Amino acid sequence: MKTLKYKDTTVLAFIMVVSTQIFTNCMAQKQTSIVEPVFSENANVISLEDRSRRKFDNAVIADLDQDGYLDLLLTEHSRRVELFWNNKGTFEQGEPFIFGDTHGIAVGDYDFDGRIDILVQPGGGDGKNPRRLGYYHVNKDRSIIGGDDFKHFEGSRGRAVKFIDNDHNGSLDLVTSAFPTIKALDHGNRLYKSDTKETFKFINYLPHGDRFGIRTTLTNYNNDNHTDILFYGGKKTIVAKGEPGLAFKNTTQDVLSDLSKISLVNSISEIDFDNDGDFDLFLTRSKHPFDSESDYDEKNNTFYFFARRTAFDYNNLKIEGNLIIENLQMAYPHFDVFLGAKKNKWQRTDDNHGSHNLTLTPNDAKGWPKETSKKGLYIGYLGDGLWRISGHTDSPTSAVIHNVMTKPKTIPLKNLPAKLFENIGGKFIDVSTKYGIDIKEQTTSAAIGDFNNDGWSDIFVLRYGNPAQETKQVLYLNQKGKKFVRTKTHGIVTKELGATGMGADAFDYDKDGDLDIIYANERGKWHLFTNNSTLNSYKYIEVNIGNSPSGKATPVGAILTIHAEGNIYKRIVGQTSSSYSHSNNTYLHVGLGDCKEIDKAEVIWSNDEKVTLKINQLNKIYSVGKQP
């Protein structure tokens, strides 16, 4: 038996199979006032880079060194993945080991050697350099080896990589997605089986939609203990129903009906908002990432633009004083900025892969060139306070311009409302309006968790936002499964300009019993917001899942189910809103409100091994299964 202490939380590791239930004395309905969680950033907890850059997907959360604290992998798109080791509630930046164009990441011990393994889906160089799935192994002393790829895999423009175990043998099989060619749409989504010789052996292609249907969510909509897969991102959502063995069947029409036609979905999160034991779904939606956009903030006179593979021309911009540009970002292969009639090339002082701030006087960029055929960004002062900014780049180009005194032409973002789907007997209906989900604007991700520990799952929603201004994020508090109320005091605000939402997740990094939030902004920064809530009388438990008792199954996909006063709380290792990556957060958090005891707690692993936990004290972290 091993006991760890952190703050006021005692971690007690034990397993006990019991045949009788513990009678409850829960008072889940006693407290009627809304407890609103409050979050804040703390630079003493983690030293995240204070420079805006391109991002990709959610944070990948896992105890990589198996020391009992959750570490982080944070992807800087086309540059590298940042590693942060968790030293008992504060983070230390590690040496990066994944470089270049990186997409989905999956974490789990797929070879049962006791080390945490990392699978990496690299990009394919815009289709010009198809690449294969790579792998690494993390030792408990924090050394990392690997970096090779699976030579027998087909090269692709890789996107998602996620683990499943639908044959229930404990070995981790693999689901991947890739951006397919027009001539091979059916080759984008792939299934691999665990194999002793090849590690993963290709089995079959999976159901697919259009080319943009490469985003993935794992779920089990009918509670049959077989993982189902949702593919989405384009014109519709596809449901691939898991069947015995490693078979999948397209059940889209039966499960979603016309809801499958809701387009431009960028994340789907599992949420059991009514505590009935089946997973409902929350959808966020936004435009395709490379569509042109521009916006203006009249209060602060800031103008934002974004363009890729298309010419843009903002002429006669009326600017007060010098030209102040914030968060200028460009990407390979076109980084050149030409100034004035002479096309003097602006010289960077920082690396290309990130934001640049610059101030230009009228003399720095006087006049306009006669010829602008070379791809890049052109800036010129025309006189009388008027400036011109234009260009044409194959890569994304974006910036925020300050002191723009008259509103330029903008490209308004159309409304793409977020959606809440309720699971009724394995089929979904839209209950967004019924339960108070009233977000009309575009959103990019959600983090599901009981942020105030009142016993009901809440929804943190990451807004796409107006990059010309600060963005206050959205937090919906669940009112006992009857409706959601939007709180305004949570304190989660994006302050960097020129950025849009990317991915969000929740985890208890400091093991204090409440869920914290980490999210990324595209062309922005990573943010870790600590939950500073006063727990009051509300209770919680956390359960750290190890390997199955026999050691034949890893924690990935293990399900914790708790019964208390008629409520069913279900949590899964690896559950995430990420549409590309698969975290391995083994610390499953359950808020219990005013409960004083629970009826039953059970863990089932992917190979169907079960353990019933005896929970004799709340506000603690329990461990179950074989621990490292």
Side-chain angles (χ1 to χ4, degrees):
M1 180 179 295
K2 182 178 181 182
T3 301
L4 301 176
K5 291 188 177 181
Y6 184 73
K7 292 187 178 179
D8 296 326
T9 303
T10 303
V11 183
L12 180 61
F14 64 90
I15 300 174
M16 182 175 293
V17 179
V18 296
S19 59
T20 60
Q21 295 182 345
I22 304 170
F23 291 97
T24 76
N25 186 24
C26 291
M27 304 295 292
Q29 309 301 324
K30 182 198 300 183
Q31 188 161 333
T32 57
S33 60
I34 300 175
V35 176
E36 298 189 7
V38 177
F39 297 81
S40 64
E41 291 188 279
N42 186 346
N44 294 324
V45 170
I46 187 169
S47 296
L48 295 166
E49 184 183 23
D50 190 27
R51 184 183 178 194
S52 293
R53 296 183 187 271
R54 295 176 64 197
K55 301 291 186 286
F56 195 87
D57 203 28
N58 297 28
V60 177
I61 301 167
D63 184 3
L64 298 173
D65 56 359
Q66 303 179 69
D67 67 348
Y69 287 84
L70 295 167
D71 309 304
L72 295 170
L73 294 171
L74 310 180
T75 300
E76 309 282 353
H77 196 185
S78 298
R79 182 173 178 258
R80 68 189 189 196
V81 176
E82 300 290 6
L83 167 64
F84 286 89
W85 301 108
N86 188 340
N87 295 327
K88 298 183 178 180
T90 59
F91 289 89
E92 169 193 348
Q93 189 165 6
E95 290 295 323
F97 61 97
I98 303 171
F99 297 92
D101 187 13
T102 302
H103 294 152
I105 296 174
V107 178
D109 182 12
Y110 62 76
D111 56 7
F112 288 94
D113 67 353
R115 298 178 297 180
I116 297 298
D117 308 311
I118 301 173
L119 298 180
V120 179
Q121 270 280 44
D126 204 20
K128 299 176 182 177
N129 182 30
R131 299 161 68 194
R132 294 182 289 265
L133 188 73
Y135 58 89
Y136 298 85
H137 310 289
V138 184
N139 296 314
K140 293 181 181 180
D141 64 0
R142 296 185 174 179
S143 61
I144 299 171
I145 62 174
D148 296 328
D149 58 19
F150 293 108
K151 305 301 182 185
H152 61 288
F153 273 46
E154 182 180 347
S156 69
R157 298 174 66 181
R159 289 301 188 269
V161 54
K162 300 198 174 188
F163 291 117
I164 63 171
D165 180 18
N166 268 19
D167 52 7
H168 301 286
N169 64 0
S171 298
L172 294 176
D173 308 307
L174 207 59
V175 172
T176 69
S177 75
F179 198 75
T181 64
I182 295 176
K183 296 181 179 180
L185 288 177
D186 59 343
H187 286 196
N189 304 327
R190 303 171 185 179
L191 175 66
Y192 295 84
K193 178 179 173 58
S194 177
D195 184 78
T196 54
K197 292 183 178 180
E198 296 183 313
T199 309
F200 298 105
K201 181 179 180 180
F202 176 74
I203 298 297
N204 206 348
Y205 297 106
L206 293 165
H208 66 92
D210 58 30
R211 294 187 74 202
F212 292 96
I214 51 181
R215 297 175 180 267
T216 65
T217 290
L218 305 180
T219 188
N220 183 14
Y221 66 81
N222 56 1
N223 275 338
D224 66 352
N225 206 25
H226 296 302
T227 299
D228 311 308
I229 311 171
L230 307 176
F231 293 107
Y232 53 94
K235 295 180 180 179
K236 66 182 300 185
T237 297
I238 301 298
V239 181
K241 176 181 177 290
E243 300 195 318
L246 284 172
F248 286 88
K249 179 182 178 181
N250 189 332
T251 58
T252 302
Q253 185 60 32
D254 182 55
V255 175
L256 291 177
S257 188
D258 287 346
L259 295 181
S260 67
K261 299 176 184 178
I262 294 176
S263 63
L264 297 174
V265 177
N266 53 29
S267 81
I268 300 180
S269 305
E270 291 183 303
I271 175 174
D272 184 7
F273 71 84
D274 48 7
N275 290 346
D276 66 351
D278 57 24
F279 283 116
D280 313 297
L281 301 174
F282 184 80
L283 287 66
T284 60
R285 304 168 65 210
S286 66
K287 70 180 188 65
H288 288 308
F290 295 135
D291 293 345
S292 295
E293 60 183 286
S294 58
D295 220 324
Y296 182 69
D297 178 22
E298 295 187 15
K299 180 180 178 180
N300 295 300
N301 303 120
T302 48
F303 172 64
Y304 163 83
F305 70 89
F306 171 90
R308 177 182 184 263
R309 289 182 178 170
T310 185
F312 56 93
D313 189 4
Y314 300 106
N315 200 358
N316 293 321
L317 291 173
K318 183 68 175 178
I319 293 175
E320 183 177 82
N322 295 330
L323 177 66
I324 301 174
I325 299 179
E326 180 178 349
N327 195 8
L328 168 65
Q329 292 204 43
M330 305 174 73
Y332 179 85
H334 298 130
F335 293 103
D336 290 339
V337 180
F338 303 101
L339 305 180
K342 296 182 180 180
K343 295 191 289 189
N344 294 322
K345 190 179 293 187
W346 175 68
Q347 299 298 320
R348 286 174 167 78
T349 57
D350 294 317
D351 67 87
N352 290 335
H353 297 285
S355 66
H356 298 270
N357 300 328
L358 60 152
T359 299
L360 300 175
T361 67
N363 286 333
D364 291 332
K366 187 176 181 180
W368 190 255
K370 295 180 180 179
E371 193 270 331
T372 59
S373 61
K374 185 175 181 179
K375 289 189 175 181
L377 178 66
Y378 292 81
I379 301 174
Y381 178 68
L382 309 180
D384 296 326
L386 299 177
W387 292 75
R388 183 176 180 181
I389 299 175
S390 74
H392 189 176
T393 56
D394 291 340
S395 54
T397 295
S398 64
V400 175
I401 314 299
H402 287 266
N403 302 325
V404 181
M405 307 313 295
T406 57
K407 182 179 179 179
K409 184 178 180 180
T410 60
I411 305 174
L413 294 175
K414 69 177 183 179
N415 287 338
L416 292 172
K419 296 290 183 179
L420 178 65
F421 292 171
E422 184 176 7
N423 188 338
I424 306 293
K427 299 183 180 182
F428 293 93
I429 61 172
D430 185 351
V431 294
S432 308
T433 301
K434 177 181 178 180
Y435 287 93
I437 303 299
D438 60 353
I439 303 176
K440 301 295 190 296
E441 65 184 284
Q442 298 187 21
T443 53
T444 64
S445 185
I448 306 301
D450 186 356
F451 296 110
N452 57 4
N453 280 345
D454 69 348
W456 302 89
S457 292
D458 309 306
I459 309 173
F460 170 76
V461 186
L462 195 60
R463 299 169 60 191
Y464 187 90
N466 176 352
Q469 63 187 32
E470 293 184 357
T471 302
K472 185 174 183 178
Q473 305 300 344
V474 176
L475 179 61
Y476 278 112
L477 297 181
N478 189 337
Q479 304 303 291
K480 298 179 172 62
K482 298 177 181 178
K483 65 177 180 178
F484 287 89
V485 173
R486 189 165 171 172
T487 176
K488 298 181 179 180
T489 60
H490 53 73
I492 305 176
V493 179
T494 293
K495 296 185 177 181
E496 65 261 32
L497 302 184
T500 62
M502 176 57 77
D505 251 312
F507 70 129
D508 184 10
Y509 76 84
D510 50 6
K511 299 171 75 168
D512 65 351
D514 53 33
L515 289 174
D516 312 296
I517 292 174
I518 185 165
Y519 71 89
N521 288 316
E522 167 66 341
R523 298 184 298 280
K525 304 171 185 177
W526 285 98
H527 296 275
L528 175 60
F529 277 85
T530 299
N531 191 337
N532 301 309
S533 300
T534 301
L535 297 181
N536 297 323
S537 62
Y538 286 161
K539 303 297 191 295
Y540 74 92
I541 65 166
E542 290 185 18
V543 179
N544 179 29
I545 311 295
N547 286 351
S548 67
S550 70
K552 295 180 180 179
T554 75
V556 175
I559 303 170
L560 167 70
T561 304
I562 290 176
H563 296 259
E565 202 190 50
N567 292 314
I568 302 173
Y569 301 97
K570 185 179 288 187
R571 306 289 188 266
I572 300 177
V573 174
Q575 210 165 28
T576 176
S577 68
S578 169
S579 52
Y580 297 117
S581 296
H582 199 164
S583 287
N584 192 21
N585 181 356
T586 59
Y587 285 82
L588 304 183
H589 171 274
V590 180
L592 292 167
D594 289 314
C595 251
K596 293 183 174 56
E597 294 178 330
I598 65 175
D599 299 329
K600 183 180 180 180
E602 181 181 76
V603 175
I604 180 170
W605 281 264
S606 68
N607 66 343
D608 300 327
E609 288 186 68
K610 295 181 182 179
V611 165
T612 301
L613 287 79
K614 182 178 180 182
I615 306 296
N616 57 7
Q617 185 179 343
L618 304 182
N619 291 351
K620 290 176 58 174
I621 300 175
Y622 292 83
S623 294
V624 62
K626 286 193 171 183
Q627 300 295 321

